[in-house]
Amino acid sequence: SNALAILIIGKAHANMACSSEVVSEQQAVELQTRLLNALSQEDRHAWDRLVAPDFVALERGKQHDRNDFFNLIAGAHKSGLTVVWSVTQPRVEADGKLLVMSYVNVGNIVEKEGPAKPMRWLETVAFRKDGEAWRAFLVTSMRADEAAP
């Protein structure tokens, strides 16, 4: 999964000179926040607008397609799990057709109305331009070292 993210980031660097469109860090964070909100609110319509047909998520040591990943999160909610996410420390590379952002996802998990457990994940998301819309095609996620700042 890391090799795939490096390949995508390398492609973003190679394509930077090919486009005049600028995507700000704030725009990239807002785009990813909409994607996370679609999951947390189980908004299938928004999710389908924000992800590409070939979307892949690398989560919990497995590869998930767009439907499987949405259903994984929805199933966790149905079992009583609540997850709060936020995008922090973003690093963004973008050109006119590809946007890649790595970030620290800081949030918490609440299991069946128990106490909130603070969590941090290291994540990468890659979007490609589809007409006028940016659509996610790759998400990678791993838990961060709890001792890390």
Side-chain angles (χ1 to χ4, degrees):
S1 68
N2 289 342
L4 182 58
I6 290 168
L7 174 65
I8 291 168
I9 292 168
K11 181 175 173 23
H13 282 290
N15 289 336
M16 288 297 288
C18 298
S19 174
S20 61
E21 181 176 347
V22 176
V23 177
S24 72
E25 181 179 287
Q26 179 181 347
Q27 289 169 315
V29 169
E30 288 170 0
L31 183 59
Q32 179 59 6
T33 299
R34 287 197 309 269
L35 189 72
L36 293 172
N37 288 343
L39 283 172
S40 67
Q41 297 166 10
E42 295 182 45
D43 184 341
R44 186 59 189 237
H45 183 68
W47 174 255
D48 287 342
R49 283 192 327 268
L50 291 164
V51 298
D54 61 344
F55 173 87
V56 173
L58 305 176
E59 171 79 23
R60 299 184 196 172
K62 295 182 181 173
Q63 182 172 308
H64 304 275
D65 67 21
R66 64 188 274 158
N67 294 320
D68 184 40
F69 191 63
F70 185 89
N71 293 335
L72 176 73
I73 301 301
H77 292 162
K78 284 176 181 49
S79 73
L81 190 73
T82 302
V83 182
V84 176
W85 296 297
S86 66
V87 176
T88 69
Q89 303 174 40
R91 295 182 61 193
V92 177
E93 293 288 338
D95 69 11
K97 295 183 183 193
L98 186 67
L99 183 158
V100 179
M101 179 172 60
S102 62
Y103 62 98
V104 178
N105 185 341
V106 177
N108 61 61
I109 293 177
V110 177
E111 295 184 45
K112 297 185 182 184
E113 301 180 27
K117 178 181 177 186
M119 296 293 298
R120 292 170 13 106
W121 299 267
L122 305 177
E123 299 187 343
T124 301
V125 60
F127 293 88
R128 85 169 69 85
K129 196 74 176 250
D130 180 14
E132 295 298 312
W134 288 100
R135 298 182 78 184
F137 66 94
L138 174 70
V139 170
T140 67
S141 179
M142 69 177 81
R143 286 194 177 172
D145 181 351
E146 293 183 25

